[in-house]
């Protein structure tokens, strides 16, 4: 199963955990991978933790990532970092809002898109697939702002790494 | 899929129909392999049927009766290792919304250390800290029956601390029969039922119900009166109180009712914040439609 990329998204209801995981799943699908995703949702308006697993590769079986085997753990809320660390494999990478520079990114809204921007250079998915998925999952009035945010963060991550 | 991932090379029989079980197919399969494991979530339903047919199969350990089947569990099962499952910090639990009127109700119940027989809805979240003000939850409508049972069983001294709490939509679903029981077989110490009426089915997504005055398609229809039902079945005292705007009256009335040894109902009525937001959206949409219709009429005249 080493050909499968495992990404877990963790956050609190209302932060866009599900949207972020939908965008990644759609981008991977667009690039021709077998994709499966699962989620724990419904807590959006009650402030509970929300998690979503995305797995893609040549062939994916189980839709759930075994605990401790995620390649990437994307944490949208800093209070959930301790909880989320159980999902990461020893050499996996955890991305949190702390990875986002203050100068580029202000405030809570868009954390999900900005973190996808940080994630994108680590994966092999095409920018065309990423941007197509982003546009199809956001309302038209949010397109320009989020596309710019995604591109800027992705570009900066690419230069820094 | 969990099995395919955990052990890609094993033979696998996937049962499409578990009752009646295709026993001949299972028998052939069991005889065709060296060792057979039953992978099932929850109770050992397949395992018991297969064992009863005289076939030797391995069963999941007892602790797997709880929780979800997953890849790790299948691996453990096949290797026989029983390493403890991952633990650590818990995820953030959900909570009652900031500004929710249920908060006011449960802070009073918590303050007076009452025994709360609860029900199913947003307000079930009051079982969690900081309120910790719900002692039993069984199923929809059970709050009243369980509360009455506690009153009878605990006797008049301890029983007088028992309160039943039920939401408006759950009350319509299966709370009315409980009220009938309350007045038909009243406990010695009476009883107090609080219907937390936020005018919607909030937990599941703000669906309408017979107490809202709107059909599921949001069209106006007749509204079931909760206080009217309570009065009609013969409840001794019925009060409708806004637990936020009249918080003092709510607390005072509750204590009076608990001391009265009568069968009482408080309808704690205040609209759900989320539903109010949605209603405003619906109203503006309705107004917009109305304008269009008016314009059409003017044009045709």
């Amino acid at each position: 199963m080493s050909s499968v990329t495992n990404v877990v998204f963790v956050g609190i209801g209302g932060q866009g955990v599900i949207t972020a995981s939908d965008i990644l799943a759609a981008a991977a699908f667009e690039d021709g991978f077998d994709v499966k995703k699962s989620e724990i949702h419904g807590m959006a308006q009650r402030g509970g933790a929300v998690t979503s697993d995305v797995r893609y590769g040549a062939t994916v079986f189980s839709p759930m990532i075994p605990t401790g085997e995620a390649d990437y753990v994307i944490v949208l809320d800093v209070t959930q970092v301790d909880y989320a660390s159980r999902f990461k494999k020893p050499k996996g990478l955890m991305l949190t809002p702390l990875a986002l520079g203050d100068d580029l990114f202000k405030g809570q809204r868009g954390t999900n898109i900005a973190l996808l921007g940080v994630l994108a250079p680590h994966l092999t998915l095409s920018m065309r697939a990423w941007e197509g998925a982003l546009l199809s999952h956001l309302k038209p009035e949010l397109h320009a702002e989020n596309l710019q945010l995604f591109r800027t963060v992705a570009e900066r991550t690419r230069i820094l790494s | 899929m969990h099995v395919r991932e955990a052990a890609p090379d094993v033979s696998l029989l996937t049962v499409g129909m578990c009752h009646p079980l295709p026993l001949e197919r299972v028998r052939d399969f069991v005889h065709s392999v060296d060792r057979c494991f039953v992978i099932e979530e929850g109770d050992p339903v397949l395992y018991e049927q297969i064992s009863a047919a005289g076939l030797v199969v391995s069963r999941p350990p007892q602790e797997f009766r709880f929780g979800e089947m997953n890849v790790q569990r299948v691996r453990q099962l096949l290797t026989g290792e029983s390493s403890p499952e991952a633990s650590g910090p818990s995820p953030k639990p959900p909570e009652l919304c900031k500004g929710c009127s249920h908060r006011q109700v449960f802070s009073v119940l918590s303050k007076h250390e009452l025994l709360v027989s609860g029900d199913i809805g947003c307000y079930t979240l009051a079982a969690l800290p900081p309120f910790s003000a719900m002692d039993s939850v069984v199923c929809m409508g059970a709050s009243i029956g369980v509360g009455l049972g506690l009153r009878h069983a605990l006797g008049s001294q301890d029983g007088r601390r028992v309160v039943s709490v039920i939401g408006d939509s759950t009350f319509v679903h299966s709370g009315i029969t409980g009220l009938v029981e309350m007045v038909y077989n009243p406990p010695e110490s009476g009883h107090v039922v609080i219907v937390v009426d936020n005018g919607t089915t909030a937990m599941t997504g703000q669906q309408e119900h017979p107490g809202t005055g709107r059909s599921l398609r949001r069209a106006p229809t007749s509204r079931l009166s909760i206080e009217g039902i309570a009065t009609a079945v013969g409840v001794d005292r019925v009060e409708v109180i806004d637990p936020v705007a009249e918080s003092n009256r709510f607390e005072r009335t509750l204590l009076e009712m608990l001391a009265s040894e009568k069968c009482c109902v408080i309808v704690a009525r205040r609209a759900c914040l989320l539903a109010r937001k949605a209603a405003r959206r619906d109203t503006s949409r309705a107004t917009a439609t109305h304008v269009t219709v008016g314009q059409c009429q003017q044009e045709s005249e």
Side-chain angles (χ1 to χ4, degrees), chain A residues 3-136:
Chain A
S3 65
V4 172
T5 303
N6 294 311
V7 185
V8 177
F9 292 85
V10 182
I12 285 180
Q15 290 184 319
V17 169
I18 306 292
T19 306
S21 64
D22 281 343
I23 291 171
L24 171 60
F29 187 72
E30 181 63 29
D31 272 353
F33 289 104
D34 186 20
V35 185
K36 283 189 181 156
K37 89 178 268 271
S38 62
E39 58 200 37
I40 300 174
H41 62 176
M43 290 299 145
Q45 296 181 317
R46 313 291 184 278
V50 178
T51 68
S52 180
D53 295 2
V54 178
R55 320 187 76 189
Y56 70 88
T59 309
V60 180
F61 291 122
S62 171
M64 287 151 68
I65 300 171
T67 303
E69 295 185 19
D71 302 293
Y72 301 94
V73 179
I74 317 299
V75 188
L76 278 72
D77 194 283
V78 285
T79 65
Q80 301 303 296
V81 167
D82 285 347
Y83 161 62
S85 59
R86 74 177 64 180
F87 299 116
K88 191 173 77 68
K89 71 178 187 188
K91 289 188 173 174
L93 185 64
M94 183 183 271
L95 301 174
T96 72
L98 301 174
L100 305 167
D102 289 342
D103 51 332
L104 270 183
F105 179 73
K106 298 177 188 69
Q108 279 288 309
R109 279 176 73 93
T111 307
N112 55 349
I113 304 301
L115 282 172
L116 286 178
V118 180
L119 174 68
H122 294 282
L123 307 179
T124 57
L125 303 178
S126 67
M127 279 310 263
R128 192 185 56 82
W130 272 114
E131 295 187 359
L134 200 130
L135 296 181
S136 62

Side-chain angles (χ1 to χ4, degrees), chain B residues 4-62:
Chain B
R4 288 229 169 94
E5 176 160 344
D9 302 322
V10 301
S11 312
L12 188 61
L13 172 69
T14 308
V15 183
M17 176 85 80
C18 65
H19 187 83
L21 193 65
L23 258 180
E24 286 316 307
R25 272 183 67 208
V26 173
R27 193 187 306 276
D28 291 345
F29 180 77
V30 174
H31 289 320
S32 75
V33 296
D34 298 328
R35 195 165 169 205
C36 185
F37 293 85
V38 178
I39 312 286
E40 61 182 325
E41 200 173 272
D43 291 338
V45 176
L46 299 179
Y47 170 78
E48 282 180 358
Q49 292 184 72
I50 296 168
S51 302
L55 297 167
V56 180
V57 289
S58 303
R59 70 181 296 177
Q62 286 296 322

Side-chain angles (χ1 to χ4, degrees), chain B residues 91-106:
Chain B
K92 184 181 180 298
E95 60 181 342
L96 288 170
C97 301
K98 306 281 184 289
C100 171
S101 59
H102 295 334
R103 283 178 170 260
Q104 195 64 37
V105 170
F106 285 98

